[in-house]
Amino acid sequence: MATPGGPRPGSIPPNYNPNSVSDNMKNLQINRPNQPPNPANAPRGPPPSLGQQPQSQSQPFSSPFSVPNRPGPPPPGVVPRGVVPPSSGPTPHGTLPPFMVANRPVGAGGPPGGNASLASRPMPPVPVPSTSGPGPFASTPSPTPPPVMPVGSGAMNNGPPMFGPPHGTPGGPQYPSSGVRPSAPTRPPPPPPQTMSSFLGGSFDNQPRGPPQVAPPTFSAPLRAGMQPSSGPPTFSSQAQPQGPPFGAQPWQMQSQQNVPPPSIPCSGQPPRMYGMSPPLANQQSMATISPATGPSGNAVSGPSKIDPNQIPRPVPSSSVLLHETRQGNQANPPPPATSEFIVRDTGNCSPRYMRSTINQIPCTAYLLNTSGMQLALLVQPLALPHPSEEPIQIVDFGEGGPVRCSRCKGYINPFMKFVDQGKRFICNFCGFTDETPREYQCNLGPDGRRRDADERPELCRGTVEFVATKEFLVREPMPAVFFFLIDVSMNALQTGAVAGACSAISRVVADLPEGPRTMVGIATFDSTIQFYNLKRAFQQPLMLIVPDIEDVYTPLQTDVIVQLSECRQHLDLLLESIPTMFQNNKTADSAFGAGVKAAFLAMKSTGGKLLVFQSVLPSVGIAALSGREAEGRTNIYVGDKEPHKLLQPVDKTMKTMAIEFAEYQVSVDVFITTQSYVDIASISVIPKMTGGQIYYYHPFSARSDPAKLYNDLRWNVTRPQGFEAVMRVRCSQGLQVQEYSGNFCKRIPTDVDLPAVDCDKSIMVSLKHDDKLQDGTECSFQCALLYTSVYGQRRIRVSTLSLPCTPTLSNLFRSADLDTQFSCFLKQAANEIPFTPLLAVRDRVTELCISILHSYRKYCATVSSSGQLILPEALKLLPLYTLALTKSIGLRSDGHVDDRSFWINYVTPLSVQLAIPLVYPRMISLHDLHTRETEGSVIPPPIPLSIEHVSDDGIYLLENGEDCLIYVGDSVDPDITQKLFGISSVGEIHSQFVLEQYDNPLSKKLNEVLNEIRSQRCNYLGLKLCKKGDPSGMSFFSYMVEDKSQNGLSYVEFLVHVHRQIQSKMT
Amino acid sequence: MTEFLDLETQDAVRMPWNVIPGTKQEAAQSVIPISAIYTPIKPLPNTTPLLPYSPLRCKNCRSVLNPFSIVDFSTKIWICSFCLHRNHFPHHYQSISDDNLPAELFPQYTTIEYEPQNERPMSQFSQLVPQVFFFVIDTCMIEEEIGFLRSGLERVIGEIPGNSLVGLITFGRYVCVHELGFFGKMNKVYVFNGAKEISKDQVLEQMGFFLKKPRPATGVVAGVRDGLSQESINRFLLPAADCEFALNSVLDELQKDPWPVPADQRAPRSTGTALTVAAHLLGVCVPGSGARIMAFLGGPATEGPGSIVSKALSEPIRSHKDLDKDAAPFFHKAVKLYEGLAKQLVHQGHVLDVFACALDQVGVAELKVAVEKTGGLVVLAESFGHSVFKDSLLRVFQSGDNDLGLSSNGIFEVNFSKDIKIQGVLGPCASLEKKGPLCSDTTIGQGGTTAWKMCGLDKSTSLCLIFDIVKKENPDVIGQAANNQFYFQFLTYYQHSNGQMRLRATTLSRRWVTGPGNIQDLIAGFDQEAAAVVMGRLVSFKMETEAEFDPIRWLDKTLIHLCSRFGDYQKDSPSSFVLSPRLSIIPQFVFNLRRSQFVQVFNNSPDETAYFRMVMNRENVANSVVMIQPSLISYAFNSGAEPALLDVASIAADRILLLDSFFTVVVFHGSTIAQWRKAGYQNEPEHKVFAQLLQAPLDDAEAIVKDRFPVPRLVICDQHGSQARFLLAKLNPSATYNSDAPPMPGGDVLFTDDVSFEIFLDHLQRLAVQ
């Protein structure tokens, strides 16, 4: 790796430990001191070529993130996720290893936009006058939502329905949250506009569109109350504080208190967030009133029209970086939204990045859970990228004996193991067994019942630690880091430039691979035969070894096909350079994907490793050849119509059998599909899916615009923090058990998942079920243990433990529901079902899930009497919107290309929580007015709701979902703007295979800056697609306007009405 | 004796019976079968012209016009001597007359060659392609051996004619076909799994022969004619001139098969698959034109079809005993594979040569069938560094006087008088299954046909034809008086090393006799050397094909019967037994044949036995006789070089012996000579004579070595030295460790319990007279 800037390992400081992510973190810490808070100083690895970066430098306001690390500069595509800044940079980080972690900007405190928000933050403490406020909070256990509605109900009948939370209400209590969450202010009548803006951070502009806009008259009062954010919030928080523990209240409050000075970027991240939406607290409910007429009576027509679309719940970005302590006062602290930017302090529970639950309180009984209609599941992402400001994970070496574990359930020592008997014994928090403490590990207990050394021992005070694996965990020497590249060189692949793209990407990425004897590479190509290359030839050019038997493959050599990188760099370069020309005249149209993969596997079998395959056409020959069943489906309408979802299933078991074998030998496969046509992703994907890999999809591949993304994807793939030959298990306390794991892995025994490779982007859903009752007042623990080998050959066990309170109360469940996680589960379950269930049934099920949750809330928790109101639990108030968006997503649309849908399903399976929502509800921003708008602090302008109303013909918009990025150009855009952005005066002239360049004008620079910021947030280069009104590309853009009525579903408003009606019908 | 040699010089044929027993019964009584050993392309005397036109053939039996044909110059008609059919001379023979004979009618040109101009080469495939050499190289060897092999090959590459096509396969666990034509861009190798049988279709498919052109829907696919582009063929087979660099660079890099071999295992060596692939590839690219697969094997085949032993070193390679007891589990499978391969190669007209150089067996016994049927060469040595291998290989490519005269694509046909039928041929050829009235009911070797394919043949390739006399006991006086000649015609159609197709016609006539009074005639026509060689081939053949065959008993019986019939004795009086000089040496030949490596398999591996037999089966009479009964020449101060008795008594301290047993040439210094030599007397001017004495046998040995193929192993040893065993093993044990009489001073004794020739003769006399 040319590492980013930094000194190569050799030159590194004493502590430098080249290995493992966690080590990186350490380094990070080390670096920290050096790193001035000012982002400007942040590591700027990237060479000047990245136009972008320099800019960011000059602009202190850009988020710290974007600066140093991730994002690539736009056009030439080179830059990627900034992980590793290109070599040259004299970054202070230099020490850091390849992974981006290291590079992340350190300084949390981007000074920028912060000022305003800072100002506002402090305010919370002020007590608020709200009347009922204390009530809900005080009574911790039953925080049933305050009777919000009564007030409004009358008024509402006629009035425009309102959704939103608000109002009303005595909701005072909710306020505190609003205080916390700056978003609240969106309300219209912002009394003190200024405050608002300050709250919002940059979002001021948005205001008008902001979600809940309440009709003035009726609500004025409540509104005011709500609106007084400035004064309001404080009250609660203060209240809460004294009260301490009441669940729910506390967290928020705490967060508010701990707000870190807003980072430079207001919407730091992630997708727009809904939190702020209403002043009400998390435990509050949101209500939408639907006029009675529309309700039960069925006068639907008029109903919806009366809803003001501007008032319905919508995500609102949060503007500040939150500081999150995982536990406070010995209580679990509900995590901030996954999509927000936050910094975690591990105070006992693991960071929510590693593990988060759909509900932050665990229902005591299965009945309670069922009643709520919600799911109980964990999303674990054991190697998730930490925030650069977070402390690194500590490494604990227990020496020969290995980590202390429960002798019965083998749970690892963690802060929730209870030591008794002067520390001579401890009680396992999972199985309840009492174990002897190993003598050398004994320590007396303090007066508080904790071990006296608890705070010195990371495993006793941290939610996440890494244990050094002892022999017991080794079945063999830790494997070397093997990277094997396999390239389809059939005729189409060459003609479309895919081969050239792949070769150049590989050749550049090879430079980024870790130096050293443990890094091994190999390369092979295939068409209707498989060509290996002997790279270990001292005096000659590489030797091509052809394996012609594609029905029964083998590796032509056991050694020398995979060679230490240091021994073959030159050969590799030479080879990669010559492959495209060598096969230039290849007339073989067939492609033996299965055989190629199998052969490469055989070559890697003795070590395991990562197999990166570049495939360009439908695998047509050899082992596991596929047929163009999509076309067959189309021509044979009868079959095609009957069970269209069958096309989304793998065609047979061949690939699966192979995949299981690969997984057994620790070979992980990633497939980069650079194609023009159908390749049957449904079948191909089985292999990456079961081996802990993933699919990348470039369709239709363009030699002009895609190589940059290909390179960046590949680079991130090999340089991101990752582990090999991993095994993961989640344990939980008695009363619960793991029901199922879902994600990209292979499962051979019921309790463990085998991950030939695991990386920071992969998340695994763990659904839980009750097998017993849990005691109220106790806590329930979850522990995820991941045994893996780092890129540097260290065997580690990363153990993350999360302990959550149990509750017998339904309303607590709703209050502590975690929307992002819940929705991720929805999404993943839906994705899992698509190939096996008719599409309509999937959509109905998704909708039904949403409805039943809301119905449960309405029935058991809401205090509103009128049936004309749609009442949403505050925590889940965006659930309808996301559910609607989900039903309109690519995977659940019937009009999609089969491969697109397959890819979508595969993309979703290992998707992390923070990317789940943007996938279905993308972020849209306008570009044409970038320069005119002075966004405070944030590089990225505030998002626009996904409705065609908000898209004007003279505008240019950017829409991104974490994977793709569409730039929509209206048909009457000011030529001056297109000239500035694209260097072309008329929209029509823009090349459809669009490559964004940076021109020398502020608008263009700004656009690139925004784009890079987005890329860095998403850890994804985001392929750019240009969409023009009136052609298919425009249509695809509009298909993302999920709030609009379309052939795929209702509009947002209609959907709310539909949901409401369904609830009503259930109620009766 | 010399008359037989003269006949051989003229017609390249030796027959045990030059006067033929005229009836079936008499032929049976003659013990030694009526047979001929014919060397089809033995160089003709310089005086024999090469006829630049096609031969004239009998319209009836397709035999060729020859000096024995009766020509009627006036009517321009000739009568076929075989079927007596009357043929008109064609127009261009119109000028024929008593004084104006075409060469083929000259009485001295009973053997003559035609090289018709402008005739396309034979066969359905046609297309004259230069000679093809396809190297198949084993890489499962220690580095040192690889080095030897490399240097051996590098010496040879320069000798390959520039227009010859060259291909290369290396193999170990996998079979690597080198695409020499891709050189320059990158060395490119097709790797086949050695453990798996590969069909020709797979080769076509997998090696990309149909990338540019769709495969024809039907029919055999092979060669340019059939839809393969020259371009795709030239990927693998390149003119030597074009690929010398590529070839050298591959050889330079030749290294040990990289697959790891556990200490307790043999290297995985997929000989069978490698040869199959080579055969397929040649079949695809150059069917019908002369091509040689030259296999260089360094150890036993252990992988895939054709394995001769499992990989576990704990399991020994099959021995003769195992074969006898049918305890060689791999043997039959491997033989079956090679039989199939032989059939394929014969069909394609290609040759398999084997150079087996290893201390271990490599599977020559299994490969034998493929080598023999294609007329391939075989060389067995202990190491690629050994001169036996290096010089033999060089000889293959050498041009000039000593060249082997390698020719290819031969078809051998026979024609006889009607009373003679052919039982079969023992020798390097394959039956073309052309059945006809000339075929006997009983078959031996390649029988049941009157035409044979000889994919590869050279100047010394000799076939042993076994005939059957079908004439019944019928005192048909008229027949006997009018025509007591049998006629034989041997036609060999082959591609000369210059690329042209030639036809050689040899026509023989032999007198037959019948009746009890003709024994002396038979004896007069008896060629004991030829008889010994025929018996050698026959006994080898029977040992290989007949279960429970007891060769010693068979040989003894044969000899006794022969002696009883043709010896002169009084019944039951051994002392009265006398053999005519025509038969006098035959007992000695049989005695030595009994002791030879052809019959005594003890102490020889199946590979060695197979090797010896293969060589004997293709050698001419003179060489074969040396194999059966080595020649021994003694050198001494007073007498110069003179033949010595092949007896331990020939050893003397002051003599040098030169033993030529064909496979080895031993120069044996008597103990005194050895002492002098060690003392360095030969370097002193006053002992020039001694130096000459030392040099003489070496020069003679050199001469022997020079024109022999395979190049023999030259052993120079001293009396009482360990290497002396090469000599002692061949000597008649007239004096053994338990002989009564002590040896002569300076003589030697043999440590053996074998019977000596004297005792053998005693027994023979006793039994013959009973």
Side-chain angles (χ1 to χ4, degrees), chain B residues 618-634:
Chain B
R618 64 189 307 281
E619 272 304 336
N620 60 24
V621 171
N623 282 334
S624 300
V625 166
V626 172
M627 294 179 213
I628 294 169
Q629 176 171 311
S631 75
L632 190 66
I633 300 171
S634 110

Side-chain angles (χ1 to χ4, degrees), chain A residues 185-322:
Chain A
T186 33
R187 291 332 187 39
Q194 286 163 347
T195 14
M196 288 282 292
S197 65
S198 67
F199 262 92
L200 291 176
S203 62
F204 189 70
D205 288 343
N206 257 356
Q207 236 179 343
R209 284 184 211 126
Q213 217 151 8
V214 181
T218 330
F219 297 91
S220 63
L223 273 184
R224 223 173 272 148
M227 270 346 258
Q228 290 174 353
S230 50
S231 59
T235 323
F236 284 116
S237 59
S238 68
Q239 263 183 347
Q241 251 176 350
Q243 279 177 341
F247 184 70
Q250 201 187 9
W252 304 124
Q253 146 204 19
M254 156 202 116
Q255 270 174 349
S256 69
Q257 279 178 337
Q258 298 193 337
N259 262 353
V260 171
S264 41
I265 309 178
C267 49
S268 54
Q270 325 300 23
R273 155 61 64 56
M274 46 193 347
Y275 266 87
M277 178 147 225
S278 61
L281 258 205
N283 56 354
Q284 266 304 37
Q285 60 193 23
S286 296
M287 282 186 281
T289 305
I290 294 180
S291 71
T294 64
S297 66
N299 282 345
V301 188
S302 62
S305 65
K306 287 185 188 163
I307 298 175
D308 179 349
N310 289 331
Q311 292 178 27
I312 48 188
R314 291 225 176 76
V316 172
S318 72
S319 59
S320 59
V321 177
L322 304 169

Side-chain angles (χ1 to χ4, degrees), chain B residues 138 140-141 269 271 297-301 308 357-358 360-363:
Chain B
D138 180 4
C140 295
M141 297 182 278
R269 184 183 279 108
T271 314
L297 309 179
I308 63 160
C357 297
D360 239 345
Q361 302 189 60
V362 306

Side-chain angles (χ1 to χ4, degrees), chain A residues 537 540 544 546 549 554-555, chain B residues 174 187 189 191 196 253 260:
Chain A
R537 299 184 354 134
Q540 297 251 352
M544 182 195 290
I546 300 170
D549 188 347
Y554 39 87
T555 171
Chain B
Y174 289 139
N187 287 2
V189 175
V191 184
K196 208 175 140 185
E253 284 192 39

Side-chain angles (χ1 to χ4, degrees), chain B residues 255-278:
Chain B
Q255 54 172 323
K256 192 171 182 304
D257 190 44
W259 287 89
V261 180
D264 61 343
Q265 295 210 340
R266 297 185 173 90
R269 184 183 279 108
S270 50
T271 314
T273 312
L275 295 176
T276 314
V277 171

Side-chain angles (χ1 to χ4, degrees), chain A residues 430-633:
Chain A
F430 302 111
C431 64
F433 187 71
T434 306
D435 285 282
E436 296 288 329
T437 312
R439 173 158 303 180
E440 63 282 5
Y441 194 63
Q442 285 180 7
C443 174
N444 269 336
L445 305 184
D448 54 355
R450 295 180 74 216
R451 282 169 56 124
R452 289 183 182 279
D453 64 353
D455 290 334
E456 282 90 65
R457 289 192 175 269
E459 73 275 16
L460 296 180
C461 65
R462 295 279 179 260
T464 305
V465 290
E466 272 202 355
F467 295 111
V468 174
T470 50
K471 286 226 173 66
E472 181 189 356
F473 297 94
L474 296 175
V475 285
R476 56 170 185 178
E477 280 299 296
M479 60 185 257
V482 176
F483 299 92
F484 198 99
F485 302 96
L486 181 64
I487 310 168
D488 175 8
V489 292
S490 60
M491 186 168 68
N492 281 323
L494 279 147
Q495 290 175 352
T496 59
V499 174
C503 288
S504 104
I506 295 168
S507 141
R508 294 160 73 188
V509 159
V510 161
D512 295 333
L513 292 174
E515 194 80 42
R518 299 195 61 86
T519 307
M520 316 197 46
V521 292
I523 196 161
T525 53
F526 64 96
D527 43 27
S528 63
T529 59
I530 305 151
Q531 300 96 32
F532 284 84
Y533 299 88
N534 180 344
L535 298 169
K536 191 174 190 171
R537 299 184 354 134
F539 26 151
Q540 297 251 352
Q541 55 192 150
L543 169 70
M544 182 195 290
L545 299 158
I546 300 170
V547 173
D549 188 347
I550 49 174
E551 295 299 335
D552 181 12
V553 294
Y554 39 87
T555 171
L557 285 176
Q558 194 171 47
T559 52
D560 298 358
V561 163
I562 297 175
V563 200
Q564 287 184 6
L565 177 59
S566 48
E567 290 183 4
C568 67
R569 263 181 207 283
Q570 287 177 351
H571 279 337
L572 207 57
D573 287 346
L574 181 74
L575 178 62
L576 287 166
E577 201 176 303
S578 51
I579 283 177
T581 48
M582 204 159 59
F583 290 98
Q584 206 167 17
N585 298 320
N586 196 350
K587 292 282 180 288
T588 314
D590 286 325
S591 171
F593 169 81
V597 172
K598 181 80 184 275
F601 156 72
L602 292 172
M604 307 169 72
K605 195 170 170 182
S606 58
T607 52
K610 280 179 81 82
L611 172 57
L612 301 137
V613 190
F614 299 82
Q615 175 69 23
S616 296
V617 291
L618 183 74
S620 52
V621 289
I623 300 171
L626 300 172
S627 65
R629 52 185 177 138
E630 183 207 26
E632 285 160 24

Side-chain angles (χ1 to χ4, degrees), chain A residues 859-871:
Chain A
K859 185 168 177 189
Y860 301 107
C861 300
T863 53
V864 179
S865 57
S866 163
S867 63
Q869 291 169 333
L870 172 59
I871 303 177

